[in-house]
Amino acid sequence: MAVIQPFSAEQERALVNMRQRYDAWIEADRELYAMPYDLRRKKVGEYEYLYEIFDRSGNGKSLGAWDDDKQSQLEEYKAAKAALKERRDGARDALGESSRIARALRLPLLSADAGPILREADKRSLLGSHLLVVGTNAMAAYALEAAGTFRDVPDETEDFDLAWTADEPEDGTQLWDMLKAVDPTFTINTEREFQARNAKAYEVELLVAPSRVETLAGKDRPRPVPLPEQEWLLPGRRVDQVVPCRDGSPARIVAPDPRWFALHKLWLGAQAKRNPLKRRKDTVQGAALLEAVAEAMPHYSLGQEFVESLPDELVRYWEEWAKARG
């Protein structure tokens, strides 16, 4: 039996509409995020100034003494921000409708807890460039890439694995600021510094390949332990899909090349030190995903060029899968 149950025409149409509306919404939301938090006319002593405000506490800096140019600058800012909010809110309403329809059509779903994190990361332009979804939550994106639903394959967990993948060194605390913006109750697990946990005990774990560990700013958190096997998730062509969440909202997932992710999962499933329950899940997911690539993702070649690119550690799992498939 095929591992993928193809989507119906109605399901495909719902996904196309949701993606189009998501792109319109996130574009407006990114533009809003890039604007100053606020501009205000402020009196200091006997003089007035135009101030750029950074946060809710009113911290900011002067942009210069108040004059006609500053008044025009403030008016233009307010008009641009109002127009962007109107555009974003209109797109959000249409997007919400599309996402609710997608959920009702029994499409692959993402955890409601993961959705806000992904949307905030996307607003800050971190998805794909700095962060990849590398855990079980990625399976929903792979299902959409295969234009169908996995049969009898676990596709959701109550934690969230992200990989840091930035090419160039970053400053500040981009990742931690993003998590705290989603939920201020996030704290670092002092016993596992690569893990953040919120008041509901929802866990976000950060992974990193040794080649990318130096690009994470020294003050940023969580602090991942470099894992050599994370290098396997960097090459190839990444999957980029917008997935409905269980609460009816949408979220964008950028995940590793499904061929590499599948073999990585098969490798994980063979690691004796790993939790036995997770090992079984890893093996099932890895085998199913490779089969889905063979069945429904012709744009991801499983030909000789790909096989020759595999490191020695993964060749065994490729050969075992290929032999079992016949």
Side-chain angles (χ1 to χ4, degrees):
M1 179 186 293
V3 72
I4 291 290
Q5 171 65 47
F7 291 144
S8 67
E10 187 178 14
Q11 288 175 316
E12 289 179 342
R13 185 165 54 250
L15 287 170
V16 169
N17 289 339
M18 185 174 65
R19 180 62 193 243
Q20 290 175 343
R21 291 172 175 178
Y22 180 89
D23 288 344
W25 168 77
I26 196 63
E27 180 183 357
D29 210 31
R30 285 183 191 137
E31 289 183 36
L32 264 174
Y33 178 72
M35 294 188 75
Y37 180 81
D38 197 9
L39 295 186
R40 295 177 191 170
R41 184 175 180 175
K42 188 174 181 179
K43 188 172 184 179
V44 181
E46 298 180 359
Y47 301 97
E48 290 187 313
Y49 302 87
L50 179 63
Y51 263 71
E52 178 181 342
I53 305 302
F54 300 144
D55 52 38
R56 293 179 182 177
S57 300
N59 297 310
K61 67 176 182 180
S62 171
L63 299 179
W66 186 260
D67 56 20
D68 290 344
D69 288 340
K70 294 297 185 292
Q71 181 171 344
S72 296
Q73 184 178 348
L74 179 59
E75 290 172 354
E76 289 170 4
Y77 166 80
K78 288 183 175 180
K81 191 168 186 178
L84 273 176
K85 282 185 175 180
E86 183 177 3
R87 196 175 109 208
R88 179 201 61 185
D89 294 346
R92 182 173 57 198
D93 292 342
L95 175 60
E97 178 186 1
S98 286
S99 185
R100 288 189 293 272
I101 290 172
R103 183 182 62 169
L105 290 173
R106 298 183 179 277
L107 286 158
L109 297 174
L110 185 66
S111 161
D113 292 302
I117 296 171
L118 288 167
R119 288 190 292 273
E120 187 68 25
D122 205 8
K123 179 176 77 174
R124 294 167 182 250
S125 299
L126 295 175
L127 278 185
S129 58
H130 296 69
L131 295 170
L132 292 180
V133 177
V134 295
T136 293
N137 285 309
M139 294 298 289
Y142 294 133
L144 267 61
E145 191 72 18
T149 302
F150 282 103
R151 289 188 170 99
D152 301 321
V153 177
D155 61 358
E156 186 181 339
T157 58
E158 290 304 316
D159 57 9
F160 195 22
D161 293 339
L162 291 169
W164 180 263
T165 59
D167 291 320
E168 301 295 331
E170 296 291 332
D171 296 322
T173 53
Q174 290 192 70
L175 181 57
W176 190 237
D177 291 345
M178 182 271 291
L179 287 174
K180 295 292 273 188
V182 173
D183 186 343
T185 71
F186 268 117
T187 58
I188 297 299
N189 183 344
T190 55
E191 296 180 355
R192 309 177 78 192
E193 292 189 346
F194 56 86
Q195 183 185 85
R197 182 187 296 147
N198 68 9
K200 297 190 297 182
Y202 187 72
E203 296 173 347
V204 178
E205 293 189 359
L206 187 65
L207 308 170
V208 69
S211 65
R212 304 299 169 90
V213 68
E214 295 299 327
T215 66
L216 183 64
K219 294 182 179 180
D220 214 347
R221 294 179 289 171
R223 301 303 305 176
V225 177
L227 299 172
E229 61 268 24
Q230 284 295 307
E231 299 286 356
W232 303 335
L233 302 182
L234 298 177
R237 173 182 172 182
R238 293 168 180 173
V239 164
D240 185 331
Q241 293 287 349
V242 173
V243 179
C245 299
R246 292 198 176 277
D247 62 358
S249 65
R252 177 173 167 241
I253 291 176
V254 183
D257 184 305
R259 300 166 297 182
W260 289 91
F261 187 84
L263 288 169
H264 176 252
K265 278 287 188 178
L266 290 174
W267 177 87
L268 281 174
Q271 303 309 300
K273 62 183 179 181
R274 192 161 167 79
N275 182 318
L277 297 178
K278 290 187 175 182
R279 288 176 59 192
R280 180 184 178 280
K281 179 191 68 175
D282 291 332
T283 300
V284 170
Q285 288 178 339
L289 184 52
L290 265 184
E291 190 64 33
V293 172
E295 281 181 17
M297 302 186 206
H299 45 301
Y300 287 98
S301 172
L302 294 174
Q304 193 62 29
E305 183 178 352
F306 168 68
V307 176
E308 290 177 354
S309 71
L310 297 176
D312 293 341
E313 297 94 328
L314 295 182
V315 170
R316 165 192 162 189
Y317 303 102
W318 165 262
E319 291 177 343
E320 289 176 354
W321 174 81
K323 182 178 179 180
R325 192 169 190 263

